[in-house]
Amino acid sequence: MPEKTEKIAVRAEPARPQPQENTLAPLVDIYEEADGTVVLVAEVPGAAADKIDVRVDKGVLTVWADGRLEKPASDYAETYADFSAAQYFRAFALGDEIDRDRIESSLCEGVLTIRLPKAVAAKTRKIEVKTG
Amino acid sequence: MARLRWQGWWDPFSSLRYMQREFERLLGRGFPFGESHAIGGGVYPPVNVFNGPNDILVQCEVAGVKPDDLDISITGETLMVKGVKKGHPDEEKLTFQRRERGMGEFSRTIILPDKIDADRVEAKLNLGVLTVRLPKSEAARPRQIKVNA
């Protein structure tokens, strides 16, 4: 059964200090939809919704997630390890035309999607030329 | 400074591969024009294998892959994880500013350290991490040997 998408609150708070050890930058895709909404898709496997922190402050969007998996009991020997679970952290500069209050983020199957809509005033508007 | 993913083993060709992909994209080849990216330098999904007294635990990192797109099979002592990581729906309508996540088909074969009981294998996909628990067959379990004085 596919996982439900969970909403993640976006907080307007100063950024959390970036942890140094064992921090990875999550892979992201950033794209723009037809109406100008910017969508950021970040891979944070292993991070549950309550271990994700998305904040916007002074034009900087920061994403922090704790993707540390539970280690199996100590009587398991590690035969092969490609990845060790880690904390994820990445910061992005937001353009002026993004509407800070309407930023939404949600988590589904280890993928965090953040939607950054353009402020209405910033959308391109045609100006009518009046004659006479 | 934050590191990029999977740098536990250092891939000396990763920057060359990245350049090759960028050139392919400029020339109009590569995804979405035909070939799929090698995700993460060609080794995907990253896998952890833990060997316990009664079972073997295999963890695979497959964020963004739906359970229906995964194909897990066991042949003897080999576990094969195959699947496809789909791209964004309606890609043509989107303008990408940054593209780091790979997509496409992937397949990884893992040779298990011990004999397992294929009928009792369980696989769970949670938060983008696939965990496969393979109980060992009776013969492979550790057995205490009593020493006769």
Side-chain angles (χ1 to χ4, degrees), chain B residues 115-127:
Chain B
K115 282 201 181 7
I116 49 117
D117 187 352
D119 297 322
R120 294 190 296 139
V121 173
E122 292 168 3
K124 264 205 296 234
L125 181 60
N126 187 35
L127 298 170

Side-chain angles (χ1 to χ4, degrees), chain B residues 70-81:
Chain B
L70 274 175
D71 174 10
I72 306 168
S73 58
I74 301 183
T75 311
E77 280 171 51
T78 310
L79 172 72
M80 182 128 107
V81 178

Side-chain angles (χ1 to χ4, degrees), chain B:
Chain B
M1 189 175 82
R3 311 188 309 256
L4 266 185
R5 224 47 191 114
W6 312 326
Q7 268 191 338
W9 59 279
W10 177 64
D11 180 11
F13 294 108
S14 59
S15 11
L16 285 177
R17 233 190 306 262
Y18 173 76
M19 260 175 41
Q20 182 185 359
R21 275 211 301 271
E22 287 299 312
F23 276 120
E24 275 181 9
R25 197 169 54 83
L26 279 173
L27 294 171
R29 284 204 289 271
F31 194 85
F33 298 105
E35 307 138 27
S36 50
H37 277 147
I39 307 172
V43 185
Y44 184 89
V47 155
N48 286 349
V49 178
F50 296 98
N51 192 359
N54 295 323
D55 53 15
I56 300 175
L57 226 52
V58 175
Q59 291 171 337
C60 301
E61 196 186 280
V62 283
V65 179
K66 306 251 173 297
D68 293 333
D69 292 333
L70 274 175
D71 174 10
I72 306 168
S73 58
I74 301 183
T75 311
E77 280 171 51
T78 310
L79 172 72
M80 182 128 107
V81 178
K82 279 208 295 218
V84 65
K85 192 161 168 190
K86 300 216 171 98
H88 303 263
D90 291 331
E91 270 198 23
E92 314 81 41
K93 304 209 189 92
L94 310 173
T95 320
F96 276 85
Q97 292 180 12
R98 189 143 206 157
R99 193 111 189 226
E100 292 169 5
R101 299 170 60 207
M103 24 218 78
E105 287 178 7
F106 58 85
S107 153
R108 188 108 187 237
T109 308
I110 300 140
I111 301 182
L112 301 166
D114 263 323
K115 282 201 181 7
I116 49 117
D117 187 352
D119 297 322
R120 294 190 296 139
V121 173
E122 292 168 3
K124 264 205 296 234
L125 181 60
N126 187 35
L127 298 170
V129 177
L130 170 72
T131 307
V132 187
R133 205 177 72 83
L134 307 111
K136 291 190 179 174
S137 66
E138 274 308 310
R141 292 208 193 162
R143 209 166 309 183
Q144 294 288 58
I145 314 243
K146 191 157 163 297
V147 177
N148 290 325

